[in-house]
Amino acid sequence: MPQHLAATDPVVEPAAGTARPADWWREAVIYQVYPRSFADADGDGMGDLPGVRSRLPYLRSLGVDAVWLSPFYSSPQADAGYDVADYRVVDPVFGTLSDAVALIEDAHELGLRIIVDLVPNHCSDQHEWFRRALTEGPGSRLRERFHFRDGLGEYGELPPNDWESVFGGPAWTRTKNPDGTPGQWYLHLFAPQQPDFNWDHRAVHDEFASILRFWLDLGVDGFRIDVAHGLVKAPGLPDLGAHDPLRLLGNDAGPCFDQDGVHEIYRGWRTILEEYAGDRIGVAEAWAPTLERTANYVRPDELHQAFNFQYLATSWEAGPLRHVIDETLTTVRHVGAPATWVLSNHDVTRHATRFANPPGLGTQIRTAGDRELGLRRARAASLLMLALPGSAYVYQGEELGLPDVTDLPDEARQDPSYFRADGQDGFRDGCRVPIPWSGTQAPYGFGPVTGGPSWLPQPAEWAALSVEAQSGDPASTLELYRAALAIRRGHPALGGADNLRWLNSSEGVLVFERRAPDGTVFTCTVNTTGEPVRLTVPGELLLSSVRITVVATETVLPGDTTAWWTAC
């Protein structure tokens, strides 16, 4: 028997181009592509859409259902493309609109769906509306589409309120009037180059409805909505008062985030999505303070998915994991939505590094920790996530077991929050380093030229983690993911069905089963401790995150290990 996959287990793969069923998003595995770090077709050191297009067959063979693309729109790149200057134009760094259309068409031919990022909370300070608002000065009607305010103090020298930027420092920047004198202030919950839209203005609603239709007409299958909880601010923009530093997760953001008014926006967007055939979806990046508040975004007339950041932030411990799984399934059940599981993304430390460190350090960590332990736990955590009911997201490179790069030189860093005080830790660059594809020298197939550039430097040890190095190795993390996704797709008890039942287990161990309508039972056993535990096998071994041996009806489940089983 190979290390991970029983020799008798069939790998079920639909033919390329096979249409997915209605409500595909309830059980889909969606792969996040961070375009600048995925594949560089032209050799300039920056990933691009032709590069992504060239690697679509890899994603198809990996076994995912859809691809989410982080922003590739026209942008000065003050925040890696999340400062959008024109939502209908592809930035030349990434290619052309024709490249985007070709990518969408190729993906559909391969049976993959395409989800694009949408950034509706803010734009770039180079957006036409904002540039004209500055040029026209106070009284410009375009200023009503943003949050311009007169300052406090005798001369307006103080910000309009005490709000802070998530990236650190004040959330307000003062302008200059056309005549050069100090002017009004504008709100930016993130970088100063990212002014927040005023969603109380009808023109903002109309513009984004048009943007949605523009991309839907080009064939995209949905939108991941950046800062989905931030569009609406409390009336009057009241002070925060005594408050911890403003963060996306971990405190109640008061008047800045998660206002009830956002839900009317998403009801309107749901109506637009349903105008189009093909089950198009909306996905909320909603850093709400509780799972109950997160579930509001996926009520039947709103969005389809909302990332489960509470799960992402949970430590590798059986008790907390079971609690957040139970609470998640209960809350989404009340609104008829699927759970949406995620372990890593472009804004947080990769889970191979988070789990290499002691719990309680948050989602941005500066230390490498015990890398061997981190990878072992990451593999086990990935099998746990993929065994849960609902949909799951995979961040590019996690299928390779990539750790965060925690020792990037200061001069290489580009995260805007790294250069501002008292905000996010500013170490997001570590999870954004271009992924390795092949070869023994940087950029490891990321670009077409050996020894060519990459926008962030890659570690020398990544040669051993490349797709080429791991392909065909039954002990590799890549082959573990391929096997897991094939089993998930083919096993009748897995996917979106709400059929999880916990079984008795010892302390530090999680055991649950999922039963298919035909009586087939899938069982997941998870040992979150560092010590081996003996258990009675619940069926035939399908897959395990490390090698385990079954003797008669018993096995020893090593520490920090997940195993999948099946029985009829």
Side-chain angles (χ1 to χ4, degrees):
M1 181 188 297
Q3 179 172 351
H4 303 302
L5 184 63
T8 57
D9 296 328
V11 175
V12 180
E13 283 288 342
T18 299
R20 300 293 290 154
D23 289 356
W24 60 275
W25 41 274
R26 289 184 171 273
E27 62 183 27
V29 176
I30 300 174
Y31 187 98
Q32 180 189 358
V33 165
Y34 194 67
R36 62 174 48 217
S37 298
F38 192 64
D40 170 20
D42 61 11
D44 66 354
M46 187 73 71
D48 46 44
L49 296 184
V52 176
R53 185 184 177 196
S54 73
R55 298 295 187 176
L56 288 175
Y58 164 77
L59 298 178
R60 180 68 188 83
S61 67
L62 183 62
V64 300
D65 300 292
V67 179
W68 152 34
L69 298 168
S70 291
F72 49 79
Y73 310 114
S74 174
S75 167
Q77 305 295 320
D79 184 23
Y82 283 91
D83 52 317
V84 180
D86 192 326
Y87 292 83
R88 298 176 181 83
V89 173
V90 173
D91 195 285
V93 166
F94 299 117
T96 66
L97 189 60
S98 295
D99 291 326
V101 171
L103 190 160
I104 294 166
E105 292 174 348
D106 282 5
H108 288 167
E109 288 180 4
L110 290 169
L112 295 169
R113 298 179 187 258
I114 293 293
I115 297 169
V116 298
D117 230 309
L118 189 66
V119 188
N121 179 72
H122 49 262
C123 62
S124 167
D125 60 359
Q126 299 304 303
H127 190 284
E128 180 185 3
W129 285 3
F130 192 76
R131 288 192 294 108
R132 285 177 53 194
L134 290 181
T135 300
E136 294 173 7
S140 166
R141 298 188 66 178
L142 283 170
R143 291 201 172 197
E144 297 172 3
R145 302 178 186 185
F146 300 92
H147 294 279
F148 280 89
R149 296 289 188 276
D150 294 331
L152 303 178
E154 185 177 358
Y155 303 104
E157 71 276 13
L158 301 176
N161 68 20
D162 65 355
W163 290 13
E164 305 152 337
S165 164
V166 172
F167 287 171
W172 295 91
T173 291
R174 196 172 193 185
T175 66
K176 288 186 177 180
N177 292 322
D179 63 3
T181 59
Q184 291 182 305
W185 298 72
Y186 68 88
L187 176 68
H188 52 86
L189 289 180
F190 295 88
Q193 299 92 336
Q194 295 170 291
D196 281 38
F197 284 114
N198 175 14
W199 276 87
D200 291 333
H201 199 288
R202 186 69 248 170
V204 177
H205 288 258
D206 293 343
E207 172 66 358
F208 275 90
S210 175
I211 293 166
L212 288 172
R213 291 192 171 94
F214 177 85
W215 288 103
L216 290 167
D217 288 341
L218 292 179
V220 303
D221 299 287
F223 302 89
R224 176 266 191 187
I225 302 158
D226 185 63
V227 195
H229 58 304
L231 279 57
V232 174
K233 281 69 175 176
L237 309 185
D239 281 347
L240 280 164
H243 204 276
D244 292 331
L246 188 62
R247 299 181 185 274
L248 287 176
L249 186 66
N251 61 359
D252 177 5
C256 303
F257 290 139
D258 195 36
Q259 299 295 302
D260 290 338
V262 298
H263 299 289
E264 191 60 34
I265 296 170
Y266 300 133
R267 291 186 186 98
W269 289 10
R270 179 64 175 256
T271 299
I272 293 172
L273 291 168
E274 291 182 350
E275 293 174 5
Y276 289 80
D279 226 7
R280 318 290 180 98
I281 69 168
V283 184
E285 186 211 25
W287 296 83
T290 66
L291 284 165
E292 290 79 5
R293 295 290 298 182
T294 302
N296 289 339
Y297 291 81
V298 288
R299 288 177 288 198
D301 59 346
E302 295 190 41
L303 301 174
H304 300 76
Q305 295 180 335
F307 294 132
N308 189 338
F309 293 120
Q310 282 79 5
Y311 182 76
L312 181 151
T314 300
S315 59
W316 180 244
E317 299 174 277
L321 284 167
R322 176 166 176 171
H323 175 77
V324 74
I325 291 168
D326 280 341
E327 190 176 0
T328 296
L329 295 176
T330 297
T331 54
V332 297
R333 189 178 297 128
H334 287 161
V335 295
T340 305
W341 312 101
V342 60
L343 286 169
S344 289
N345 64 35
H346 65 289
D347 280 332
V348 301
T349 298
R350 290 181 177 274
H351 61 283
T353 296
R354 294 203 315 276
F355 293 149
N357 283 274
L361 298 183
T363 58
Q364 287 191 1
I365 298 174
R366 306 183 185 191
T367 56
D370 184 335
R371 287 194 168 176
E372 182 178 349
L373 176 64
L375 178 59
R376 185 184 183 98
R377 288 176 171 176
R379 289 162 59 99
S382 296
L383 287 194
L384 168 59
M385 177 184 74
L386 292 171
L388 294 172
S391 178
Y393 278 73
V394 172
Y395 177 49
Q396 65 177 45
E398 74 173 70
E399 80 277 14
L400 304 177
L402 296 185
D404 250 53
V405 181
T406 56
D407 58 355
L408 285 170
D410 290 353
E411 60 270 18
R413 294 188 179 276
Q414 299 187 35
D415 183 351
S417 63
Y418 180 74
F419 302 98
R420 292 169 65 86
D422 302 323
Q424 291 183 336
D425 292 336
F427 285 82
R428 296 181 299 171
D429 291 319
C431 67
R432 300 175 176 182
V433 174
I435 67 174
W437 291 95
S438 60
T440 58
Q441 294 182 335
Y444 308 114
F446 166 68
V449 180
T450 299
S454 59
W455 72 281
L456 287 172
Q458 302 156 297
E461 61 267 25
W462 278 21
L465 298 177
S466 72
V467 173
E468 179 182 63
Q470 295 195 44
S471 291
D473 178 0
S476 72
T477 302
L478 175 58
E479 295 300 343
L480 177 71
Y481 267 76
R482 285 174 169 162
L485 292 173
I487 293 170
R488 177 186 165 99
R489 181 180 291 266
H491 198 287
L494 292 177
D498 185 4
N499 59 355
L500 184 147
R501 185 171 76 91
W502 294 105
L503 304 179
N504 292 332
S505 59
S506 58
E507 186 175 356
V509 176
L510 297 173
V511 181
F512 63 84
E513 70 173 23
R514 300 181 63 189
R515 189 176 297 269
D518 66 0
T520 305
V521 178
F522 170 91
T523 304
C524 182
T525 56
V526 186
N527 181 5
T528 68
T529 75
E531 301 297 327
V533 296
R534 185 174 297 277
L535 54 83
T536 301
V537 300
E540 178 186 358
L541 178 64
L542 287 173
L543 191 65
S544 59
S545 58
V546 301
R547 181 185 295 275
I548 65 175
T549 301
V550 177
V551 179
T553 60
E554 287 195 336
T555 189
V556 173
L557 192 64
D560 300 308
T561 297
T562 297
W564 290 1
W565 314 81
T566 191
C568 296

